[in-house]
Amino acid sequence: MVLFLPKLKQRGQLDPMHMTLCSVGSRKNNAQNDFGSQSWGLFAPNLSIYGFDADADACDAANLDLEARQVNWTERHFPYAIANRVGDATLYVTGDPQCSSLYPPNEPFLNRFGGIRDMVQLEFTVELETTTLDIALQEQGIEAIDFCQIDVQGADLQVLQGASHLLAQSVLGIQIEVEFSSLYLNQPLFADVDQFLRDRGFVLFDLATARRSRGIVQSIYRPGQLLWADAFYLRDPLQAPTEAFWRQPDRIFKLACIADVLEFTDYALELLQYLTIHYGHQPEYNFAEAIVASLGEVTELVEVGLENIPFVQDLLPFLPQPIATP
């Protein structure tokens, strides 16, 4: 549940912020890929979403759908095959198009698991031209991205390798698909992606894991082999050493908002409290009222008494009036 953003929006504290998202592998095959209709929509109309996918037809369909819906945010999808270089590549098209990849599927391994054989079976190959995310964004006049979602079936590290400028200049959070076994031949695995992102100042916050079973019998506690996951990485400007660039209050505030959207509520609260205590003399960074009002919707905290919580007591000097007790 998003906890703080509704109160921040109600108080106008989101008004100066513009949130920009990038989705690589942006084929909209389910509601989870429609970011603007999720909690990200709280930033609308100050919300921009840019999608990149090798399937030009999928991009056209997404753009036509957005136009028909007349959404109140900016969103556009572009037909680019994103990798780590500009050049020719082979796309391996599978039975389920969303499983297609720049790497050939590891069919002997995947066929050992139920329910995915037809999805990953190689149907045919297509030759295409790849480019990097840095170049694609430059060509479209997009200067900065705050949050990046990447799902390109094994080639996710290639996307990161081709986004060095973007990662160094603006990205605060990343959601990226990672694999723990070679679902595609010669693909990078989670350890490779994790090391790459840690070297660039990102911290792993969570894994939304996917398991697959080899047969009809499985344990309740070990329901199949862990094969892949969506990994969530965020920056941690409060951790030393961190470049001063990422410790600027406007970036920390945006990071707190991203954390709240992703339901890392504790981290969002920590960042908002930090900003209030260290920059609360500036009205735009005094979030005490929004924090207290949001926590006031948590029944367990109200029963304890918000004014009795040490965390909240630190915010009392920044409140215009004492906390009302029921």
Side-chain angles (χ1 to χ4, degrees), residues 233-284:
Y233 287 86
L234 295 171
R235 294 195 181 275
D236 184 2
L238 307 189
Q239 177 177 271
T242 300
E243 297 177 26
F245 177 80
W246 300 110
R247 295 201 307 269
Q248 296 177 26
D250 58 333
R251 288 187 171 87
I252 295 177
F253 181 32
K254 187 169 283 190
L255 176 60
C257 292
I258 292 172
D260 199 31
V261 169
L262 299 178
E263 298 193 34
F264 296 117
T265 310
D266 60 322
Y267 188 42
L269 177 55
E270 181 187 28
L271 294 174
L272 291 174
Q273 185 205 34
Y274 173 86
L275 287 170
T276 301
I277 292 175
H278 290 84
Y279 298 96
H281 59 282
Q282 304 176 46
E284 64 268 31

Side-chain angles (χ1 to χ4, degrees), residues 141-172:
I142 302 167
E143 296 181 354
I145 297 293
D146 301 307
F147 181 80
C148 194
Q149 185 263 349
I150 305 171
D151 183 356
V152 289
Q153 303 300 306
D156 307 82
L157 180 58
Q158 287 197 31
V159 174
L160 295 176
Q161 291 169 335
S164 58
H165 177 76
L166 177 69
L167 295 177
Q169 296 298 318
S170 66
V171 178
L172 295 164

Side-chain angles (χ1 to χ4, degrees), residues 103-124:
Y103 295 92
N106 188 357
E107 293 186 69
F109 175 68
L110 291 167
N111 287 343
R112 297 165 60 191
F113 299 90
I116 59 177
R117 178 175 301 181
D118 294 338
M119 296 173 60
V120 300
Q121 184 174 7
L122 180 62
E123 296 288 330
F124 56 90

